[in-house]
Each structure stands twice: as structure tokens, then as C-alpha cells.
Amino acid sequence: MKTMRIALLSYSTRPRGGVVHTLALAEALAAAGQDVTVWSLGRGGDATFFRPVDPAVRVRIVPFPDGPEDETVGERVLRSIATLRAAFDPAPYDIVHAQDCISANAAGPCVRTVHHIDHFTTPELAACHERAIVEPYAHVCVSRSVADELARGWGLKAEVIPNGVAYERFATTDPAARAAWRARLGRYVLTVGGIEPRKGSLDLLEAYALLRAEHPDVRLVVAGGETLFDYRDYRARWETRASELGVEPVVLGPVPDHELPALVMAAGAFAFPSLKEGFGLAAMEALAAGVPLVVRDLPVLREVFGPAARFGTTPQDLADELALALTHPDPARQTAGRRLAAHHTWATAARLHLDFYRSLS
């Protein structure tokens, strides 16, 4: 069968779920014999991605220098689109596949993966989001729940192709590295994704205060947090509330990619209280590591995680479920979680993408 020339476009080189998805999908498509190039903006002088990329994948990083100090989020988004659009030439490719609203606005005619649906009030962001949904000629969603939301809101039919998971990477971490994290942090609940509204960070903080009242030795550890958006006001509210509650979470920020699996596996539980998600890749990685998982009770997370997770809605619910996860690990859930994570392979995701691409020609 003819080799396809595929361009995958992302907005950043830094570790976010959509960027992790883009690189893993690109590598799996290349392993399947396709000619794959990843295009992305290199913000702040970045010349490479946050991790090494398989040499079988071509990488094109478009320089994106920092703007003026008074640049708004809307202005930064518009400048991002213009910069990527000016550098990207779609002509050499059979498939142009954008992974976010910035790259979809920059790419021209494209396939678009809608990981989750946002609701913006900033005019530039709202317009960017809308164009990135209605203008692509084909759509992929990583869960049925998001595909149904796309159908209800816009009358669009999307192909559902779940994420893959780097199962072996998280299931077989270095025991010494794992022990080092435990020695440094003690017993801890981990969340990955930073401090921001969509991640439900304030609710998790309230839950942690309730949990700590019964389990004072447990720490809350927050990893990740790279984002294009400005969440300084939300972060300030979070820090103020932490002080009011008398708790001191450990905020690691972005963690080097090679250190992340051991950090995950060393956790006593993984918290995922997001208010909006498309799949929950970081939570699926925790299942691969055998870590008890507590997520917010959302339809999409019920769909993705089913019997492998514990579910909560309020901070009290989340605190109660985290306490159970820490004190009464459930072997049946752990087994279900490992099986679920192992089921989601990037090779399968690549094959399904190729089938979809070919159906479009």
C-alpha cells in the first residue's frame, strides 16, 4: 500500500497531553512505514521537543520568540497562528492533521483532533476555537463523549480513536528511582497537569485539606503545568486558599520526561479532578504504573476508566475516595487498570488513523 506523507501540527514543544499525543502518534505512524513530519512552534527559544523524538520522524520547529510584556493571551494566540501559518507549506503532504485550535487555524484544509471542547470568553480565543471546529474537513475525537458533544453542538461526525499509552514505560520503572522519590516526598497523592481551572486545582486543594485532617503524613504533589495561557490570577487564588487551609502542597512544575514514570509509580494515589477532559492520558499512565486512581465523576471519565478508577464529585467525595485509595488498595481495580492501560496501544491508534486517512482520499 502506498506510503502516506503526513504532517502532524502542534502548538508547543513542551509537555502537555496534546503534545505527548502528537509525538507518540507520529512515532507509531512512522513505525508503520509512513512518512511523517511534526510541525510545532518553539516558544521562548525552544529548538527541540521536551523529549527526544524517534529519528524516523522529521521535526520542524518554527521559532516563536516571546512577545512584549503587555501582550494579552488573545494577541499571543493570533501571533502564534500567524507565525505557524507563514512557515508551514501543506503542499508536500497527503494528510495535514492539526492537534489543537492554534495549529488548525494555521494549517488551512486539515483533519482536526478535538481532544476536548473548551468554552472561551476572550473574543480572539472564542473565534479561534470556533474556526478550528467548523473549518477542518474531517474530525477525530479521543473518546465517544467528546464526539457526541461535537455532534450535539455542531452537527459534526467525528471518528473516535482513543489515545495510546506508553504502557511498558510506566509499568516497569527503575526501583531505585522510585525509592528516591519516596525518600524525598514520603507518602503522597500526585496530580499531573499543573494548577489551572480546567484541572480542578482548587477542588483538589480543598479535598487535600480534608484528607490531611485524617492523614497528616500525606503530601499533595503537583507536577506539570506548562501552558500557553495565563493562569496567574487562578494560581494566586490557589496559593491564598492553601495558606487559609494551612496546607503546603509540593509544586514541582514540569518534571523531566525521564523522571516522570518513577514519580508516578512512587505515588500512593493519583488524583485527576479535571472539570473537562477528552481522555485523561496522564491518569491512564498512572493505571499502567499500578497506582490507585481517583477522578472526577464526569461522563467522559466514566467512559474511559470504568471499573479501574474511583469517582468523586465534591471535594469531600474526592477526599474520601483518596483516603480509601491510600489505606485500602483494591487489587481488582489495580488489575483492571493495568489491563485497560495495556489495551490502549499507540500501534493500534496509528493503524486506526491510517484507516481513517485512507477513507478520506
Side-chain angles (χ1 to χ4, degrees), residues 19-90:
V19 182
V20 172
H21 169 106
T22 302
L23 294 183
L25 176 60
E27 290 169 333
L29 288 167
Q34 307 309 305
D35 184 340
V36 184
T37 304
V38 173
W39 287 78
S40 187
L41 295 171
R43 294 189 289 119
D46 288 355
T48 60
F49 278 97
F50 69 94
R51 68 163 177 84
V53 180
D54 190 315
V57 176
R58 294 186 184 88
V59 172
R60 299 288 183 266
I61 306 296
V62 179
F64 186 72
D66 292 336
E69 287 188 7
D70 61 350
E71 184 177 49
T72 66
V73 172
E75 290 168 342
R76 190 180 314 130
V77 166
L78 294 178
R79 187 165 62 90
S80 299
I81 293 167
T83 301
L84 187 55
R85 179 186 292 142
F88 177 67
D89 178 9

Side-chain angles (χ1 to χ4, degrees), residues 256-269:
D257 187 62
H258 69 278
E259 296 181 17
L260 183 61
L263 174 68
V264 173
M265 186 173 271

